[in-house]
Amino acid sequence: MQQISLYDPVEDRKTPQGYRCVPVGEAGSIDPASLPPLVITVTIEDLKRMPIHTPIAHAGPERGWLPVNMVNVLYTNADTQELETEILGTPVRIRATPVEFHWDLGDGNTIATTDPGKPFPSERISSEYRFEGWYDIILTTTFTGQFSVDGGEWQDIEGSIEIESDPVELFAKSLESRLVNGSEDEDEDSGYGGDDNDEDEEEPWIPERTPDTEGPIDPKARHRRI
């Protein structure tokens, strides 16, 4: 019996992939000429163990908030990644390609697309929030894979994997609900802080994230495919 292992260069270890039978010569040693051709393959489980870089989700302005009903631009990097490993001393290249992007906007709305999107002013992939509050935007990217043994042709890996990006925290600000009221604290209730004599417009007041400031679910939420 001969053990087949997959070498992980990141963890510097080999993972057993099973065994194959080999004939034995008269002297008890393996006769190389009698060995069947070695077939190396890579499975979807092998792809899951590879150190694929997680795509970075981008949403809304860098300031971390945007007005209610304003366009929220979504995009990510969509580079194909190539990694190297070794199976039975044979070099194997693995290619992971992003093929679909699923955006969860945190308010019940979701978007599925094969388009990674582009930064503002593009609005190819975008959404809006109807209510004020904090939301987590989560991107899940679906990858398919291929592998090449010792410089040979690329072969498809059956199946696909999903990788979830770190959430993007975003506050939807209802500026219309924060009109100036002289009887109330301007910092909280006008929506703007700072000195009225400042020449530059101050950023709106944004509350800390607490259970009371979480954004509600949109009753008209829907799933869109773009």
Side-chain angles (χ1 to χ4, degrees), residues 180-222:
V180 174
N181 184 333
S183 65
E184 297 177 345
D185 187 315
E186 185 179 356
D187 281 356
E188 276 193 36
D189 297 297
S190 70
Y192 289 86
D195 190 341
D196 288 342
N197 295 323
D198 288 347
E199 293 183 2
D200 297 328
E201 185 177 275
E202 295 289 336
E203 287 286 300
W205 176 81
I206 303 300
E208 292 184 6
R209 189 164 189 176
T210 67
D212 292 334
T213 59
E214 290 293 311
I217 295 297
D218 184 350
K220 296 183 179 180
R222 60 194 177 100

Side-chain angles (χ1 to χ4, degrees), residues 38-55:
L38 177 62
V39 178
I40 293 177
T41 189
V42 177
T43 68
I44 198 64
E45 294 301 321
D46 298 328
L47 183 61
K48 289 179 182 179
R49 288 191 286 267
M50 296 302 293
I52 298 173
H53 296 299
T54 302

Side-chain angles (χ1 to χ4, degrees), residues 28-159:
S29 60
I30 296 175
D31 180 4
S34 64
L35 288 176
L38 177 62
V39 178
I40 293 177
T41 189
V42 177
T43 68
I44 198 64
E45 294 301 321
D46 298 328
L47 183 61
K48 289 179 182 179
R49 288 191 286 267
M50 296 302 293
I52 298 173
H53 296 299
T54 302
I56 299 175
H58 299 275
E62 293 184 1
R63 61 195 177 189
W65 70 273
L66 82 168
V68 166
N69 296 322
M70 177 171 281
V71 171
N72 174 24
V73 175
L74 311 169
Y75 68 97
T76 186
N77 53 303
D79 297 331
T80 295
Q81 302 178 41
E82 289 194 9
L83 308 103
E84 297 182 354
T85 187
E86 185 179 287
I87 301 177
L88 293 177
T90 302
V92 177
R93 300 185 72 184
I94 295 178
R95 185 159 64 188
T97 303
V99 295
E100 184 167 278
F101 310 94
H102 182 276
W103 295 91
D104 185 332
L105 285 306
D107 64 347
N109 286 287
T110 57
I111 298 173
T113 178
T114 58
D115 190 336
K118 286 187 175 182
F120 185 83
S122 170
E123 297 181 8
R124 282 161 45 174
I125 311 299
S126 62
S127 63
E128 298 177 357
Y129 287 109
R130 298 179 61 234
F131 303 99
E132 181 174 276
W134 283 101
Y135 293 98
D136 280 330
I137 300 172
I138 298 176
L139 168 66
T140 302
T141 304
T142 300
F143 285 86
T144 58
Q146 294 178 305
F147 68 98
S148 169
V149 179
D150 199 17
E153 65 179 13
W154 288 99
Q155 304 175 60
D156 292 334
I157 299 174
E158 185 176 350

